[in-house]
Amino acid sequence: MRRMFFFALVRQIRVVWPIISGILLTMVGCGLIIGRIENWRIDESLYFTFVTGLTIGYGDFAPQHLSARLLALVIGFAGIVLTGLVAAVSVQALRAADHNHAE
């Protein structure tokens, strides 16, 4: 059953990979721009990006400039979409594995 789930998960991820990669590129791009505005190092910018995008919270770093805060909103919304997409793909893979197991 586990093997069927992972096979179905990989198949589902292949289908939505262009969307997932676009969301990740948007998040990373916005994070690097925020880092440039706030004079953060690249590792701090990426850390901020994924903490903000995956937990919807600023965490250790918080942008001070208005433009950086607006870009942080974009990262937050992209993180919500990414989380929903991963959950949907996982559920679909579970359904496919259960359907194949029942046959």
Side-chain angles (χ1 to χ4, degrees), residues 28 30-49 60-61:
V28 169
C30 289
L32 292 175
I33 292 170
I34 290 171
R36 188 84 149 164
I37 293 169
E38 298 292 331
N39 293 321
W40 293 340
R41 296 188 321 254
I42 291 176
D43 61 332
E44 293 173 337
S45 300
L46 293 176
Y47 174 77
F48 169 79
T49 299
D60 300 342
F61 299 100

Side-chain angles (χ1 to χ4, degrees), residues 69-99:
R69 289 182 179 184
L70 292 174
L71 287 171
L73 282 173
V74 172
I75 291 172
F77 285 125
I80 292 170
V81 172
L82 181 65
T83 303
L85 187 61
V86 168
V89 165
S90 299
V91 168
Q92 187 64 28
L94 280 171
R95 282 188 184 157
D98 186 48
H99 178 69

Side-chain angles (χ1 to χ4, degrees), residues 4-68:
M4 287 187 282
F5 167 72
F6 285 116
F7 180 71
L9 183 65
V10 168
R11 195 167 2 117
Q12 294 295 323
I13 288 176
R14 278 189 193 161
V15 171
V16 295
W17 179 248
I19 298 168
I20 291 173
S21 62
I23 293 169
L24 287 173
L25 272 170
T26 300
M27 289 174 69
V28 169
C30 289
L32 292 175
I33 292 170
I34 290 171
R36 188 84 149 164
I37 293 169
E38 298 292 331
N39 293 321
W40 293 340
R41 296 188 321 254
I42 291 176
D43 61 332
E44 293 173 337
S45 300
L46 293 176
Y47 174 77
F48 169 79
T49 299
F50 288 102
V51 167
T52 302
L54 298 177
T55 64
I56 309 301
Y58 282 153
D60 300 342
F61 299 100
Q64 301 301 315
H65 296 87
L66 178 63
S67 56

